[in-house]
Structures are given as C-alpha cells and as structure tokens.
Amino acid sequence: MTTAPGSDRSDGLRLSGISKVLGGRTIVEKMELQVSPGELLCLLGPSGCGKTTTLRMIGGFLNPDAGRLTINGVDHTHSKPERRPTAMVFQNYALWPHMSVAKNIGFGLKVRKLSADKIRQKVDWALDLLGLQHHRETMPARISGGEQQRVALARALVLEPEVLLMDEPLSNLDAKLRVQVRETIREIQQRLGITTVFVTHDQEEALSIADRIAVMNNGRIEQLAAPAELYARPRTTFVAGFIGTMNTLDVGPAGGGVPLDDGALLPCDTFSGAAGDVCWIRPEDLQITEADHAGSVRAVVLRVIPRGHYREVLLQSHGSTLRAFTDGEPDVEQIVGLRATNALVYADDALVQDDEPARPGRAVRAVADSGDRG
Amino acid sequence: MTATDTAPAAPAAPDKPVTPSSGARSPRRWSMLFMASPPVLLVLVFVGIPIVIGIAFTLGYTGGLNSIASMLSVSVYTANGWMPSLAAYGNVLSSERFRSDLGVTIWVTVLTVAIVLVLAWCIALYARLSGGRLGKMLSGIAIIPLFIPVVIGAYAIRQFYLNTGFLVSLGRQFGIQLPSWSYHTPGIVIGQVWVSLPFAVLLISSGLAAVPNALIDAARDAGASLGRSVWSVMVPMTTIPTVIVATFTAVGVMGSFTVPYMIGPTSPNMLGVTLQATFVAYLRPQDAQVIAVVLFVLAAGIGALYVWANARASRSSAVQL
Amino acid sequence: MTAVEVQQTPTAPEAAAAPAGTGGLLRRVLGRIVVGVLAVVLLVFILGPLVWMALVAFSKRWKAPALLPQSWTLDAWRNVFTTTPLGHAFMLSLIFAVAATLGSALICLPAAYAIGRSNFPGRRVILLGLFATNAFPKMGLFTSIATLFYGLHLMNTALGVVIVQLLGTVVIMTWIPSAAFAAVPPSLIEAARDAGAGPLRVFFTVTLRLAAPGISVALILAFLACFDEAQGSYLVGAPTYITMPTQMYSLVENYPEQAAAVFALVLTVPSVLLLLLVRKHVMGGHLAEGFQLR
C-alpha cells in the first residue's frame, strides 16, 4: 500500500469522538484513541463491549455515526475498506476456500495490478516470513488451524498495510498453539514495526502481547495503559475485576487494615488511597504466615489448588473467604496467619490514589450495565 | 461440511461420524441397501423398461410389447431379423420439420438457461448484498410461479402477450405497436423463464447465503471493489448451485411440452410438442420414440455436466472456512 | 461451514451503501431508480399474467386496447360450476394426488433415510439414477409406458394413473428428504441414545422430528407435482379418468376465455394454499439443500 500524499508516518492511527449506534443501541460511544506507529495496541473487553465494532470501523466495514478517523494524518472516516491502508486478520481467518494458499496471499496484489513477477516475489517473501513455503499450492481446507491462521496473517502483511487489524485471531486455536502463534505474531509485528490493533477477550493474551491495552466496557474505554500499569493499578473496579483475580472486600480501609466480615482487621502494608468504599486485594498480595505471627490475622485453609509452580489457596478468615497465591504448601484445615501487602481502594468504583483523588461517578454505569454482556 | 480443522497430521478424528453405528458393520449396510431399493425397483420397472422398450422400438423391434404400438401406427420400420434397423432414425433425422424443431428446441433452451441464470443471479445477489426489504420482496415474487400449475401459468402467459393482451394494449395506450409474442418463439422463452425462475432463485440464493460475510470483507480489505469481490469470491463459491440450476433448467426446458404447446406456434415448435403430435396426431409412435431418444441423449449430455461439476467440487474445496 | 457464520450482521451491505461524496450520492440515486424499474418489470413479468387472467374471469365485455374490462360479471363462475364437470374432476385429481403422494412417501422415504444417514456403496449411483429418470422427455416416456401398460393391463385404470403420477415425484421424494435426514446432527442422535432411548424411539423423537421440515416440503411438492400432472394422466386415464389439469387442456380450446380463466383460478387454489404452508421452509433452503449431491 503506497503512502498517500500528505500523510505523516509518525502520526499513526487516531480515532476522535468515534460513535456507532447499531439497532438503536450505542455500541461505541465517543471513543478517543491514538495508536502510535509501530505500537501493538490491544482492545480488550467482554463480548458486546464494542471492541470488534471499533475494529470494523477502523477497517472500513462499518461507518461511524460521529467522529473522525485518521491514519497517518489522512482522513479515512468514511472511505471504503478497499481504499484504506489497513489489512485485517479475521476471526475465522476468512481464507477463500477456492484459492490456494499462494493465491489467497497474492489476491490483494493482483487487485492492485502488480506484475506477475512482483506478485510472486512478494508472496514468496510472505510465505518465507511465516514458514509456509511447503503449503504454497495447498488449498486452505487442507491445512491445520494454526497454518490457516498464518496464511491469514501472511495475506494481510503482504499488502504492507499502515495499520494491521486483528479480530480475535487466536480464538479458534487450541491453548498450546495459541501461545505459539501469539509469539509469532508479536515477533513479526516488532520486526516489521507495523502499527497493530489487536482485539481479544482474553486478558492473558492481551497482557502478554500488547504495548498498551485499552480495556473496553459498554462502548467506552475504561482504561488505556501498558500491561504492567493496568495490572498494578486498575483504574476502575470493572478493570480490576476483568484483569486477573481479586479479593473483593466491600469495606473501606480502617486503622491500618481491612475490616473482615466480623470486624477483625486484616493488616495491610500499603493502600492506594486513604479512604474509599471498597478494598480489593490481589491474591499475590496476600501473604500466608505462621499462625499468630505478629501483624497477621488468623485464617483457616479451606482448599489448596495446585497451579504448577505455585498454589492457589482458599482461606476463611473471620467470616470472609479469601484467595491467596503462595509458594508454600499449607494443608487443608491448617490454621495459618494472613496479612496483606497492598490493597487497592475504590470509591464509587474508581481507584482512589493518593496523588489523584477519586472522581466519583465516572465508572458507576460501567458496572451497573455490565450484566448485559452479549 | 463439518470438518473445519482438517489437519492432515491430526490424529484420526472421525471426520464424518455418520450414524451412531456407522456403516462399518455389513448387516447394517445390506439393510440400508434394502431400504434404498424400492424406488430404484420402481424406476427400473416403470421407467427403465419403457425406455428400453422404446429404444428397441426405434431400432425396429416391433414384436412383443411393441406389437400394440405397431398396430396403432400408420407405418413402422421393422428390423430385419436380429439386425437393428436405423431406418426410423434416418427418416426422422432427415425430415425438414424435425431439423427446424430441433433448432428451435436448442435455441429456446440456451436462451432460457442464459436469461434464467442472469435474472436469478441479479435477484439473489441484490437480496444478499442489500439485505433490505426490497431484496426479500423481489426474491419472494420470483418464487411465485412455483405455486402455480404449469398449465395455468402457460395459459395465463399466452393471454397476457396476445395481441389483445396486456403488453400490446399497454403499447397502444401510448400509440406504440408492440409485438404479440404469443404463438411465437419469444413467447415460449418467456413462458420457460417464468416457469424456471423460482428454482433458480432458490438455489442461487441459498448458494450465496452460504458465502460468509467475512470472505467478502476480506476481499474488500485486500483492496477489491465490491464488484471484484463478487466476481472473485462469490461467483466461484456459487459455481455448484449455478451448474445445478443450469442443468436442471436445461433438461426441464428441453423435454417440456406444456409451455411450448400452449404458447408456441404450430410450426416450428419445440420437440416436446412435435413428439406428442407425431404420436397422437400423425400416429407414428416409432418416430415419436426416435425424437424422445434424441432429446434423452441431449439431456444425458447435460446431466453429465452436472455430475462432473459436483465431482469436481467435492474434490477441491468441499470444506469452507 | 456452519449456519452461524451466515447469520452475522449484514456488514457487506452496509459497506456497500457507504456514502462517498456527492458523486456517490448521484450514483446511489441512479442505482435506486434502476433497481426500482427492474423490480416493477419483474413484478409485471411474474404477476402480470395471473392478474390479467383473474380480471378475465370477472369480465363481461373487454375490448382490446383497454387495460380494464368495460363491464363485470360472475356469469363465467356460474357457468363453470354448473356446466363443466369441475367438482368431479377436482375430486378425482385430489384422490389421485393424495394416493400417489402417499405411495411415493411409502416407497421413497425409507430409501431417503438410508441414503441420508449411511454411506453404503452405490448411494450416489442411486441418486443419480433417479435423477436420470427426469432427463428422459416425459412425452416420450409416457408413450413407452403406454406400451408397457397395455401389456400389464394398466391402461385406463386408476392404479395406472397413480403410478404415472408417482413416477414424477420419485426425485423430489428421495433427494430432499435424504438431505434433511443427512442434516440431522449425529451428536443429537448420540445424545438421545446416551439418554437411554432405543433406536426406534430415537428415530421418531429426534431424527424424524428434525427432518420433518424437509420432508414436509418434499411431500407438498410431490402432491403438487401429482396434482398438476396432465400428460401422463391423460394418456393413461382418458377417457375414463379426466383430472383437473387434463380438463384444463380441453377447456382452454373449447370453452370461452372467461370459463378457462375461472377454471384456472380454481385449479390454482390448492397449490397456493399448500405452498403458503411450507413457504418458510422452501425459502429457508430445504429445497435448495435437497439438490446438492453429496
């Protein structure tokens, strides 16, 4: 895809105030998003949150009802899919069953009226890049899911798009293959330095592949941050609940700890903020100690679930059930001590941070509406 | 078409679990063959034997069951002992009337198939791409002739295109002299298209519905215009229904009687009418049978095309997505 | 490929309707007009003859270039009901068609089940062989059948007429139901067996139930094929048994235009009623599915 005149390679993809209503329902609401050149951005969220709709608007398969969409400075808000410098990898790969692998990859080049030589050269490059040379003349139906996925990727990359779009590209692969292909995707994406938007509902996938993640809910971006930041400081209870596991205690911090069900205090080292209505604690932020260890609260082990190199422990402490990750090997019904190293404090579903006071009301509807994920 | 992941390396996943106890056990196989036999026997007795008798009759074997037909005939060519006689073929094939009727038959068949394919594709494609109410309505209208007995349809069409019919009357409202197509060859084509359209629209619509949107999107994403996407993705993926429509329509039109009988001219007309007249009016069952055999050979050729297309399709890409 | 993918949101259309500046607007308007004109032409082409015929049935005086009759009457209806053997022919048609359809179902449905649900050798040959019967021109076939029927003393008998009508339904009655049987997911049958149902019970509660729409489409199409069959019934049945369509041929030639129109309308009623019943299934692809050779 040749760069359009007046384009600015350094601008990347920019969505300003993009909205979409489908069937009377607002699917995407005033979305603001900027993806830098060479960045891999994940749109993450439950089904029905608007992530795929957003991707389809970027690809040109849907027209936004409001807002503006530019790619490297060129307005593409309403241009047709075939006129956009984007290439999409579809969820079910969407390989044309009547064309061989090479024909699938070369189709876009043929449409662009490249010479046969040039097409062969570029197709060869793509086949080499994804290790598909031996399947050159094979029909898509005759190759495995992982290979189909790679063909779909090759078909998109061969067009040298300014923005690569991927719509849950791994959802049809089995667990092991998923990890493998995901690494291939990341490696090639970084090697080619290609701006990428990647849609997924799998948080682990997003965390391991993305430069930045936009967590979406009900048509809005709840939080846009790098994976580590997103995990450590989920800005809303929705994000906190969606990413990783959480112990959700419906009380604010008090007296240097978190009150449990019968009022006893779970000691905690640090809090994200001083006051709020709920305290959420990551299982890895709960430490299991010897019973009656100083600065701990008594708990009884209910269940131990082996997770390979660590164990997930279900504990009962003063009426509250808590979940902790540990390297130790506690026994069921053993009495242990329990303390927290860090708790995230939320007020009105927004994270209370000491340097940034909570903004009440911002994310209330997010949680209220999250029941109708379709 | 269930085998989505046909990884050749994948361990023997049963790729077509037909029944709980699949046809592996031979007693079950035989019982299935037994169940399948009644229509085969029926067809063998009441279609196979008559066809054989008929063909034998054309070759001059006038004895046995054919003796009644011979009795009813004005004249028959008789085989010389066991040697078949091709005299009946010679007689029919050399006749001027037969040749012009064969021309009309082929011409009408080709034209009808072409028009039906174009119309059905336009209607089905529009309905598929627009997805709107008008598209649904159009394909709904195109199905209506399926609801109407052919005799009625043919009769109604004849009256409609008569010189006292709608089309001519409409033209005269504006002072234009439009042709009257009833009792002329174009009238036959109109009637055949009318009768054949529903089946064509149904099959091609369902063929187009089976093309996933994602495949069209992918083509557009790759830079193809809508037209190009249709041409490169939808057309090749709908080859089979198109071939089915073409063959069924061609076979149906070629041997048809009612439409050309009702709408067509006295002569030259399609062979189906000639056949009937040869039998009923000219009392030459042998000649009628010769015409039937000629039509059958033509139809068999078209049927072979259908089988070939189906075989080709199951060989290449039976699995979609 | 599953039906799920087919039912995605209709995105391609939306993209197709995307506005692309003023030139696009002009093209869209032009496109609308072209589509509208073509829609009207199609409407006239398909429905025009039928509407015209219906008008004829009620017309008293209709002079040529006028687009509507000058005066109306119900005389033709009275005439048809009193002077033609309409009732008799109708009853005869009905009896023959029902008998032939039931016979066809009895003979063909077990075969359709066998072809649809197992993979015995020669099933494709059977399907194709049955299809081949369609390729021989009907008129030629009937003249040969007459020869055979004389030998078997079936000429001018009710059974002869039923057999001739039945022959025209064999393809419909095997192909469409066999596709319907084949489309029943094996997992559902296995689940029923797993739940403890015997093979017969599974057949009646699961397989037959799920294949029912396809079978009903086949039944009704077969009935209509019998009901509309004219040439064979005439050749074998006349002059003892004159059915509606055969009557129609002579009516068209021997009665006034209005009477033929009335007769035609009456003959159309059962077909339209029956097909309205299965319209949804016919449109839903059961018919189309039945004609894919597996």
Side-chain angles (χ1 to χ4, degrees), chain B:
Chain B
M1 288 189 253
T2 44
T4 309
D5 48 347
T6 29
D15 97 333
K16 204 184 173 193
V18 182
T19 36
S21 53
S22 182
R25 284 181 300 148
S26 59
R28 191 184 144 80
R29 261 194 193 185
W30 285 112
S31 72
M32 283 296 178
L33 201 57
F34 177 73
M35 279 170 82
S37 57
V40 178
L41 290 177
L42 181 85
V43 163
L44 277 181
V45 170
F46 288 109
V47 179
I49 293 179
I51 289 177
V52 172
I53 295 175
I55 292 176
F57 193 41
T58 62
L59 296 173
Y61 300 109
T62 51
L65 281 170
N66 281 330
S67 55
I68 298 168
S70 307
M71 256 163 53
L72 297 173
S73 315
V74 173
S75 77
V76 287
Y77 297 91
T78 314
N80 190 4
W82 284 108
M83 270 297 287
S85 155
L86 291 173
Y89 284 90
N91 182 38
V92 170
L93 296 184
S94 66
S95 100
E96 200 59 44
R97 166 95 193 264
F98 172 80
R99 287 189 189 171
S100 58
D101 286 354
L102 180 66
V104 170
T105 305
I106 292 176
W107 185 227
V108 167
T109 305
V110 169
L111 214 60
T112 303
V113 169
I115 295 174
V116 164
L117 281 182
V118 169
L119 267 181
W121 257 94
C122 288
I123 294 166
L125 196 63
Y126 180 75
R128 171 74 170 83
L129 291 182
S130 83
R133 204 170 296 157
L134 182 62
K136 263 198 194 128
M137 203 189 81
L138 284 183
S139 49
I141 290 172
I143 309 291
I144 289 173
L146 192 70
F147 296 42
I148 312 292
V150 179
V151 196
I152 310 295
Y155 172 70
I157 289 168
R158 183 176 85 188
Q159 302 308 103
F160 194 64
Y161 296 99
L162 223 51
N163 53 15
T164 54
F166 171 77
L167 199 70
V168 175
S169 299
L170 184 72
R172 280 169 68 180
Q173 305 292 322
F174 302 99
I176 310 163
Q177 186 58 49
L178 290 171
S180 157
W181 281 323
S182 297
Y183 302 119
H184 294 279
T185 318
I188 307 180
V189 177
I190 290 175
Q192 302 282 21
V193 169
W194 194 87
V195 170
S196 311
L197 196 59
F199 181 71
V201 170
L202 279 174
L203 252 77
I204 291 177
S205 301
S206 90
L208 288 179
V211 178
N213 275 331
L215 292 185
I216 305 157
D217 283 353
R220 303 203 71 197
D221 190 53
S225 62
L226 186 63
R228 180 75 190 254
S229 311
V230 168
W231 178 249
S232 298
V233 176
M234 295 185 103
V235 169
M237 287 187 69
T238 319
T239 312
I240 293 302
T242 309
V243 171
I244 294 176
V245 165
T247 50
F248 275 67
T249 306
V251 167
V253 169
M254 214 154 49
S256 66
F257 167 75
T258 308
V259 168
Y261 173 78
M262 283 278 186
I263 308 174
T266 320
S267 173
N269 206 330
M270 294 182 70
L271 282 176
V273 179
T274 321
L275 197 164
Q276 192 256 6
T278 310
F279 184 76
V280 178
Y282 310 142
L283 295 178
R284 289 173 169 275
Q286 199 176 28
D287 292 357
Q289 223 34 257
V290 169
I291 297 173
V293 171
V294 170
L295 284 173
F296 179 57
V297 168
L298 289 176
I302 297 169
L305 180 72
Y306 164 74
V307 175
W308 170 79
N310 254 301
R312 206 187 77 131
S314 55
R315 234 198 344 269
S316 65
S317 54
V319 183
Q320 300 173 356
L321 270 193

Side-chain angles (χ1 to χ4, degrees), chain A residues 56 61 80-82 86-88 90 92 94-99 107-108 110-112 141-144 148 155 159, chain B residues 4 6-8 214-226 228 232-233 236-237 314-317 319-321:
Chain A
R56 295 184 70 83
F61 304 111
K80 293 180 180 179
E82 61 263 34
T86 58
M88 172 102 97
F90 290 81
N92 295 317
L95 299 178
W96 301 300
H98 56 289
M99 299 186 196
F107 178 77
K110 213 170 130 194
V111 169
R112 286 169 178 71
R142 307 252 175 265
I143 58 179
S144 70
Q148 289 184 16
R155 186 175 72 180
L159 300 176
Chain B
T4 309
T6 29
L215 292 185
I216 305 157
D217 283 353
R220 303 203 71 197
D221 190 53
S225 62
L226 186 63
R228 180 75 190 254
S232 298
V233 176
M237 287 187 69
S314 55
R315 234 198 344 269
S316 65
S317 54
V319 183
Q320 300 173 356
L321 270 193

Side-chain angles (χ1 to χ4, degrees), chain A residues 287-308:
Chain A
Q287 283 186 347
I288 296 176
T289 62
E290 281 162 30
D292 302 323
H293 191 274
S296 78
V297 68
R298 278 171 75 101
V300 60
V301 176
L302 293 180
R303 228 149 75 82
V304 180
I305 306 154
R307 290 278 185 218

